[in-house]
Amino acid sequence: MASNSDKTTGTESQSSNRTLERCLKVLQDAKNDSEQFAALLLVTKVVKAGETDADSRRRIFDAIGFAFPNRLLITKELPSGCPNLTFRALGMTLFACFSTNPEMVSHPQMLNTIPIFNEIVSSSIEPGADITTFTSMIEDSYQCLQAISSSPEGQRHLITQGTVFALCRAYLNQCHGCEKALYLLVCLLNAMEKVCWNTCKSELLKVRNILSEQFATDQGHQKFELCNLMQHFLPTPSEDPTEDPTFTTCLKNCYIGLFSILSSKLSISQRDPALKLAGLLLAVYGTDWIMTVNAEKRSKFLSLLVNLACVEVRICLEDPSLEAAYSKPDVITACYSIIEFGMMVCVLGDKVHLTEAESRQLIAIMVEAFGAIIDYIKQVKEEQLRDPFLFASIRVLGAWMAEETCALKQEVCDVLPFLIHYARVLFECPIRSDNVDNEVKELSLTDSSEAKTWSRDALRFLLPGFCHLSVEDAPRRILISHGFHVLLLRYFTQQWEVFSSCQNAQLLPDKTEMNLRTACGIFLNLVVTDPALIRQEECFLALLNLLMESLPSLLCNQSYLILAANFTTLGLMMSRILAGTPVLQENAVPRGFFQEAIQFLSKAHAAEKEEADQRTLIVLTEQYQEVWDQISELWFLGMQAFSSCIPLLPWLPQNVIESKWMNNIFDLLTQASPTSVELDLVAAFQCVLAELAKNNKSCKDFMLLKNGAERANLYGMSILKDVLCKN
């Protein structure tokens, strides 16, 4: 049985509907603006946008349309005695009513009125204006802007028509509804961050600076809300922070606010935004914002931050249900960023004023966190391989494997088969889904290419750790038994194709080049530790062929000298093992490769006279000197590998003769003072010259003409001297 209140409500609703019907009838019968205006006043008295159903709002629109409300917004001439804001306020009420209908909110007339909405929300009340009418007009304008912002197309219209600027001004001037301006700004920044910053950078920086000041000084509950907001007002990584003179102050304010929050007893809802902000700051700006504070506070903050992140990871991932991890993956990925930072801090040690004991403590708690990460990975099912959170977890584990090779060694070996399988699945069947890409973007702390490439390139994050593991017997056996070397060749080939296309477009593919270098390191470890594998597996013939065909294009560009060193040395080391295969029969490709290898090896040193004592020294050439710390081991290994190839490839000495490399070596040895030449360089020259003299009469005759025996004696090259002195 209906209550009295229900009856009353029904009666009121029927009365309101009857009144609305009469108003709509008057609107339809209106013969001029005055009659239509009078009817509109009646409409606004009996109905508000939030109190009518969709059908009623549609009928109001059909009766009125956009033209008359638009005229109300822009008219400057008011009847005598009519308050200034009356027409505009009435027009805004109607637009707010229409904005609740999805069809009407995307109407061109609604979108064309955005500049007026912008003007209203960023305006201040005029002297003598009715404050109730003024604030109501602003509230209606915000309702329209928020409705338009609910679609990607609407967001684009807002940004291109100056809404970001207007919202910034509204907040900076503390206009009525400025809190709504702030949250609408967050909505637009989340949707189109780069465009917002590109079109309205100076105003956004001013908002950011005010927020950061409040974040540093506020001691109430608002500090936690500001912590949430600050994440959205940090410029993208592509921005140059040095262009903004207030940048350092902003980061210092972030540090002060975070230190205050993290040093307090917190609930989960308070701690999570702080961890997310700290992770974002580290991902975007590195450690500079922490390093500017004094050593004692810095050490305390570093330890506190990494400890909290590790504890959070353990709490979430050690829960058997993983409910917490799946409910807030963005927080856990922020913790991953902090933990990566913790690894870097431990490597730097005393440079960041951490004592040895503090470093050990951090490592210990990170070991526990990574133990939890590994346990989580072990629980993953096949249908979960596309989960972006799994990708983030494997990425951070890859960073740990690249830095720490002692702790959790057995646990890492246990999960190696899964890591290989995961990398293979993503490489072979890359997923292409806007929904998944958006999930990754939400987990990614920066607007980086990670959100675009995650679905294919898990190997990029695993290769450095695999490079360490490939040196050790047990993990190397696991890698080989699960066919990792075959997968690595496919990945290497694909990365070379990407690199080559970037070369042709005159771009510098830094990440791709690093991937190729690291892959070369893994292959080199396999060549050194398991030559039998190289002979048995056909994939290594394909690899050698790729190296031989690719090297010439690398040596043409000084920028790629490090990669060229990797290709040269790996190719030479493999040639020793595969010398009897068809790949190395005398033809244009292997001959071309060895000619380029000779060029790489021969261009490293030159003679230079020392002004002080007029001695001539053998020094590094300028282009090699710049990268020698990264390629010196490869160069010396390449010299040894080249010498080993000489007796195995009968056509190789003729290549050397044609290149005039022997002549260059003897010129260096003749000009230089023997006591000034380092022993490892003398040994490298000797190993090549001795093999040439042993295996080719023309080479031996040339050395004898160059007084080779005498030079060998002067430099202590006993092996070369013996070869040359033999009849």
Side-chain angles (χ1 to χ4, degrees), residues 557-577:
N557 192 325
Q558 161 67 17
S559 303
Y560 305 136
L561 187 56
I562 299 174
L563 186 58
N566 279 274
F567 273 45
T568 301
T569 303
L570 178 58
L572 291 172
M573 291 291 288
M574 293 181 69
S575 295
R576 297 183 316 158
I577 300 170

Side-chain angles (χ1 to χ4, degrees), residues 83-103:
N84 287 345
L85 300 177
T86 302
F87 281 11
R88 180 166 269 201
L90 177 58
M92 279 310 311
T93 299
L94 294 170
F95 268 97
C97 174
F98 300 158
S99 73
T100 58
N101 185 303
E103 293 179 10

